[in-house]
Amino acid sequence: MIATSATARRAGDSRKLATLMRHVERSVDSALGADEAAARIRRYVSEHDAPPDDRVAFGRLCTVVFAQGIGYEAVAARAGGFAEAFSGFDPDAVATYDPKRVESLLQAPIVRNAAKINACVENARRWVALAKTHGTYLGRIAGAAAADDPTTGWTALSGVLREDFVHLGESTAGQVLKHIGFFTAFAHPGARRVVERLGFIGADAAAPTLQKLLGGAAQRLGRDPYALEGTLALFAGIGPCKKKPACDACELADRCPSANVSA
Ligand code: SF4
């Protein structure tokens, strides 16, 4: 009975969020222009969907490591330079980088962080060794995923990643999984802020709780969950629901429990 009422509440929340999304989308379109908004959301989806091969997947692992402390936008702005410096993220090539090559990368205006560069090289070596054992590294991930549970946020799979690679904590491992198609592994901080302010979740909600809500709303709208999340992220980044919200300019002010509107 309790489970049934919780299920009904979750379905009701998904329905309500799906209804609010048209205001969120309109707000993002008006801030960026519909074409630019659509392009950014497409990019967000393509940066997270299931990678077609190990090279793309390894590139996403490196991207998450590089983005720590500087943000994904900064890495995206230098994507070409990163790819060139790291041999198109071919793990076999990066695994051969010696200290001289690392030193030359440190001098290049890309990422002057020895710990991150060394992590990328060490992870390439580990990636290559594991891929040899499992056929591909994505094969290893698929095997581990089959024994895990998405509703808990892929915690076992996250543990596998943290054992396999260096420079990965709980949050970064979740972000890597999120960037290779495991939607419930990590919650985008901006999307979380919006959904929390709208009263759907509490501040201590676990990532899978939020992600399941987004997934339910996306399903109702016939949208990709990453596209819906990307739209909320834009609403939080360039729309009215920034860290310091502009509630006076927000279409959702009359139904948002956190609205702070001037009299
Ligand atoms: S009313 Fe304010 S707090 Fe609520 S969603 Fe809009 S900008 Fe965010």
Side-chain angles (χ1 to χ4, degrees), residues 197-198 235 240-241 245 247 250 253 256 258-259:
R197 283 176 176 170
L198 287 170
F235 186 71
C241 206
C247 301
C250 181
C256 174
S258 310

Side-chain angles (χ1 to χ4, degrees), residues 193-194 197-198 235 239-242 245-261:
R193 182 168 71 232
V194 174
R197 283 176 176 170
L198 287 170
F235 186 71
C241 206
K242 299 181 181 72
C247 301
D248 281 321
C250 181
E251 280 196 31
L252 294 172
D254 62 345
R255 58 196 90 186
C256 174
S258 310
N260 181 8
V261 182

